[in-house]
Amino acid sequence: MADEIVSVNEFQVLARQALPKMYYDFYAGGAEDEHTLKKNEQEFQRIILLPRVLVDVSKIALSTNILGYTISAPIMIAPTAMHKLAHPEGELATARAAAACNTIMILSFSASCSVEEVAASCDAVRFFQLYVLKRRDIAVNLVQRAEKSGYKAIVLTADRPRRGRKEADIKNKMNLPQLKNLEGVISIEVFSDKGSNLKPHTNEIFDSSFCWRDIAWLKSITNLPILIKGILTREDATKAMEVGAAGIIVSNHGGRQLDYTPATISVLEEVVQAVGRKVPVLLDGGVRRGTDVFKALALGAQAVLVGRPVIYGLAAKGEAGARQVMHMLKDELELTMALAGCPSVKAISRSHVRTDRDRLQSML
């Protein structure tokens, strides 16, 4: 068929056609010059694969384990906001897609469906992503609700003391509706005659004083493991280990916060080396191909998170589209592993890739 979708990137085109410009820009856009947004994808292209031949790849084992939970492939669904802007069923459709693919979905703090609604939608392992507000009792409320609803981990997003400047949202006068998880708890419908409510929404209620010493407080209010999302340096990876993080997510918030931060794949190895494989390191940002997943695993990630492509699939074809995105990445990873001579995820090693740093060192 001429209109058959053959790559994940094609869903972005379909999403752009399906969504109002304001909503498409909200999902697709990045901070300021969008340098980091672009680099997240581009830097994957600078990594070369080094396949092994004459290896028995008649069977490929894709499954892996994250915090004791087995998933069908090392590809998880990243926390992204307001899925109902993409599709009427919102996060309920995304959760069902994750369950059908036997993977872990991380539900966003800024979801358009509640913690409880998503938990009731299907039986699956899922994590909850948290921002800490100035009113700490709200974080306590959300964490306790997530724990009661069967979520298996808390993902603390650490790179957003203030909201990044997304110029498309300002031009479009983008306004978010009331967050479902905060209904009856706090109102964040902060509208402005000047346009977008996104900046006041975060800057007026988010706790910009939250720091490393406060992780002890967060650990005191839950029995769930805490992963820290937004780590980009060796120094912060070391601090995350010191405060007892159960996992680290290498992320620059999809290029939506501080522009000109490094592409996540370019700093992944530095973070992995700092952690020493004591806790899982996940990579978020720029994954669009199975080869991207393979490269991240070769550089030490235990799994990758996929955000925008799932939203694009949801916008284009609902639950089926989100599911198709995940299946396409999984199928591409399986093919890459076979062609690279890796019969299992554990067989993927550092020797299967060559980076710019490797090429530079070989010239010295």
Side-chain angles (χ1 to χ4, degrees):
M1 294 174 60
D3 59 351
E4 180 181 0
I5 298 173
V6 296
S7 77
V8 165
N9 283 327
E10 292 181 56
F11 277 104
Q12 183 168 359
V13 177
L14 295 178
R16 189 167 197 163
Q17 295 168 352
L19 294 174
K21 182 179 185 299
M22 178 185 293
Y23 294 168
Y24 174 80
D25 288 349
F26 171 70
Y27 290 128
E32 297 185 348
D33 296 326
E34 299 188 335
H35 173 86
T36 296
L37 173 68
K38 297 165 188 171
K39 282 291 185 181
N40 271 350
E41 294 185 44
Q42 293 169 354
E43 288 300 305
F44 274 105
Q45 299 170 15
R46 301 182 65 85
I47 301 170
I48 303 303
L49 301 181
L50 302 173
R52 304 292 185 272
V53 298
L54 296 177
V55 177
D56 181 359
V57 290
S58 56
K59 294 181 180 179
I60 302 293
L62 287 166
S63 66
T64 194
N65 187 285
I66 303 296
L67 296 182
Y69 302 101
T70 299
I71 55 178
S72 63
I75 308 168
M76 298 164 53
I77 295 182
T80 49
M82 290 289 168
H83 289 202
K84 280 191 176 180
L85 299 183
H87 188 273
E89 292 188 279
E91 287 82 3
L92 303 185
T94 310
R96 291 193 298 266
C101 296
N102 189 21
T103 194
I104 295 170
M105 171 187 175
I106 305 175
L107 181 69
S108 172
F109 170 98
S110 303
S112 45
C113 297
S114 72
V115 166
E116 293 81 6
E117 288 170 337
V118 174
S121 67
C122 56
D123 184 20
V125 174
R126 59 184 65 87
F127 300 166
F128 177 68
Q129 177 261 325
L130 177 71
Y131 293 118
V132 176
L133 308 186
K134 291 177 181 177
R135 281 183 52 188
R136 295 286 177 89
D137 62 302
I138 295 174
V140 174
N141 172 276
L142 290 170
V143 167
Q144 290 178 347
R145 286 165 57 192
E147 196 163 350
K148 184 179 179 181
S149 298
Y151 289 72
K152 302 303 183 184
I154 299 297
V155 174
L156 173 69
T157 295
D159 62 355
R160 201 178 185 186
R162 296 186 183 185
R163 182 178 176 81
R165 189 172 187 271
K166 292 180 65 216
E167 294 173 0
D169 289 343
I170 297 170
K171 287 184 176 181
N172 291 333
K173 299 185 179 180
M174 176 67 189
N175 285 299
L176 281 181
Q178 169 75 39
L179 297 184
K180 187 71 173 180
N181 282 315
L182 299 183
E183 283 185 355
V185 180
I186 187 174
S187 174
I188 58 111
E189 291 184 298
V190 188
F191 291 94
S192 168
D193 292 337
K194 296 179 181 179
S196 173
N197 74 338
L198 297 183
K199 188 172 181 179
H201 144 58
T202 51
N203 293 352
E204 291 184 12
I205 67 170
F206 281 43
D207 187 356
S208 59
S209 73
F210 193 87
C211 58
W212 288 108
R213 64 174 177 269
D214 295 309
I215 301 298
W217 167 81
L218 183 57
K219 292 175 71 175
S220 75
I221 66 170
T222 182
N223 293 316
L224 296 178
I226 297 170
L227 296 88
I228 299 180
K229 178 176 179 283
I231 303 295
L232 291 172
T233 65
R234 181 189 311 274
E235 292 80 4
D236 278 350
T238 300
K239 288 180 179 178
M241 295 296 295
E242 290 172 352
V243 299
I248 288 173
I249 301 176
V250 179
S251 173
N252 52 36
H253 217 105
R256 297 166 72 88
Q257 279 297 102
L258 177 62
D259 203 12
Y260 293 93
T261 54
T264 49
I265 191 65
S266 69
V267 296
L268 171 62
E269 192 168 25
E270 172 185 329
V271 172
V272 169
Q273 290 171 352
V275 169
R277 297 187 182 274
K278 294 175 184 175
V279 300
V281 175
L282 312 179
L283 177 105
D284 170 55
V287 174
R288 299 295 185 271
R289 285 284 187 183
T291 49
D292 296 339
V293 182
F294 185 95
K295 292 169 184 179
L297 298 178
L299 291 173
Q302 196 162 332
V304 302
L305 307 185
V306 179
R308 286 183 177 92
V310 172
I311 287 288
Y312 298 148
L314 184 68
K317 298 173 62 176
E319 177 187 337
R323 192 167 61 242
Q324 188 174 354
V325 165
M326 298 299 286
H327 279 311
M328 291 177 79
L329 289 172
K330 181 180 177 182
D331 290 346
E332 287 184 8
L333 174 60
E334 182 177 21
L335 177 60
T336 301
M337 289 170 62
L339 296 178
C342 296
S344 69
V345 169
K346 290 182 178 179
I348 302 172
S349 73
R350 181 62 174 81
S351 66
H352 285 101
V353 294
R354 180 178 294 148
T355 65
D356 284 346
R357 184 174 299 176
D358 297 332
R359 290 187 283 273
L360 179 61
Q361 289 178 341
S362 68
M363 295 169 62
L364 298 179

